[in-house]
Amino acid sequence: MHMLARGLPIVLLSFVALPALAATMPVPSITILAPAAGSNVATSEIPVAVATKDFSVECTHVGQPGAPGRGHIHAMVDGTSMAVMTNVYCSKQFTISGEGLQPGKHILAVILATDAHDNASMPAEVTFTYQPQSPQPLPAPAESGKPSLTILSPGNGARVGKTFDLKVAVSNFQLSCDLEGRPNIAGYGHLHVFVTQSGVTDKPSWAPKMSMEPMSSSMKGESPMAGEMKMMSMVGMIGMPCATTIPVDLSQWHTGKAKIVVMFANNDHEPTMGVAAAAVTVIVR
Ligand SMILES: [Cu+2]
């Protein structure tokens, strides 16, 4: 996958803002400050810094239908599809793990995303050379039995504050954020956490009116941004964590009932087959 991706130019996209949108609000933008174009990254982790315009980067509203000028960052290595997304980021500085990344040239792409994970800007991209002292190979498959996932806390029907820890029990499944966006490995993945709440997530999701078409017809058969956009319109998703204790912040959500759903996802963010999602309904005070 990396060999293939390294040899291909990143998918070029054209973005057309509708005149009405352009007239009423600035279209946010993102640029990459680090790594610098053509630079060498010698650390095992890749430090990333971005600058944004007309956009507030935060995650307290993540998962909600979204609003103009606010949201988070999606980053992808060697592609633009969700399969190579390394995570969602809530600040303008973050690191991307080098685990499983072969030394050599790679392309980092970042894009602003609405709270509902729709694209909110044009992407920015940079080519860099990854030259760590000791490259970390992908782990061997860790399949050891049927994976299972349960929510330990809060209990179903529990009253919770606006911030609380979600605790899960995981067996036969290795949680790794470092492997997000890398090739799938049996027995490895991470969690997807969703919140649904009446009066919040049942509102239509907001997204800037941008149409995105792959410029290269040779890429049309693959899974370019058009496909990603559809997958990434995920109202309710509040995070892609890799720990069994997950801090949840619903301070920007309503009081009352909220449903919390947790599921396993493979490195490519597709749901892990054969494992039921775990869910509880809580009362937010
Ligand atoms: Cu994911």
Side-chain angles (χ1 to χ4, degrees):
M1 176 182 207
H2 298 131
M3 300 301 291
L4 178 70
R6 273 170 21 192
L8 287 171
I10 196 163
V11 179
L12 293 175
L13 306 156
S14 67
F15 292 73
V16 181
L18 292 181
L21 176 80
T24 53
M25 67 185 74
V27 176
S29 61
I30 183 167
T31 52
I32 299 172
L33 305 177
S39 65
N40 290 337
V41 174
T43 48
S44 57
E45 294 199 322
I46 300 147
V48 178
V50 302
T52 61
K53 221 177 145 221
D54 299 316
F55 198 78
S56 162
V57 178
E58 56 107 291
C59 282
T60 57
H61 297 83
V62 67
Q64 296 189 3
R70 179 186 82 204
H72 56 273
I73 296 165
H74 289 172
M76 293 138 285
V77 174
D78 297 334
T80 55
S81 71
M82 187 163 81
V84 293
M85 192 168 88
T86 56
N87 210 325
V88 301
Y89 301 94
C90 310
S91 82
K92 290 186 258 188
Q93 291 194 4
F94 52 90
T95 59
I96 292 176
S97 167
E99 186 173 1
L101 208 61
Q102 294 182 15
K105 277 194 180 173
H106 293 278
I107 299 169
L108 167 70
V110 295
I111 192 163
L112 296 175
T114 69
D115 298 324
H117 308 282
D118 284 310
N119 296 324
S121 73
M122 302 204 323
E125 61 174 74
V126 73
T127 301
F128 64 96
T129 302
Y130 184 56
Q131 288 183 322
Q133 296 243 315
S134 40
Q136 298 167 266
L138 289 171
E143 209 163 31
S144 56
K146 188 173 160 50
S148 72
L149 170 65
T150 52
I151 296 177
L152 300 176
S153 162
N156 195 38
R159 292 177 180 278
V160 297
K162 290 224 165 176
T163 60
F164 58 92
D165 281 343
L166 171 67
K167 295 186 179 175
V168 299
V170 168
S171 59
N172 294 323
F173 198 71
Q174 304 296 315
L175 298 176
S176 169
C177 284
D178 288 349
L179 292 174
E180 291 189 38
R182 300 287 137 77
N184 286 340
I185 301 168
Y188 280 88
H190 56 277
L191 301 168
H192 284 181
V193 181
F194 294 83
V195 175
T196 51
Q197 185 174 49
S198 166
V200 179
T201 47
D202 49 4
K203 298 253 163 69
S205 68
W206 175 87
K209 299 287 183 283
M210 299 187 293
S211 73
M212 304 184 190
E213 299 285 339
M215 282 173 79
S216 159
S217 58
S218 67
M219 300 302 286
K220 273 180 180 159
E222 311 206 2
S223 58
M225 195 67 90
E228 183 206 13
M229 283 193 70
K230 190 155 195 190
M231 283 190 288
M232 288 310 296
S233 185
M234 295 189 297
V235 174
M237 173 177 269
I238 62 162
M240 300 186 171
C242 48
T244 53
T245 296
I246 303 144
V248 174
D249 182 351
L250 299 183
S251 55
Q252 299 299 321
W253 295 63
H254 296 171
T255 55
K257 268 189 192 175
K259 187 178 182 186
I260 318 278
V261 176
V262 186
M263 49 201 284
F264 283 154
N266 301 329
N267 295 340
D268 68 357
H269 307 285
E270 293 293 333
T272 303
M273 298 302 283
V275 189
V280 289
T281 297
V282 296
I283 315 295
V284 181
R285 291 183 293 186

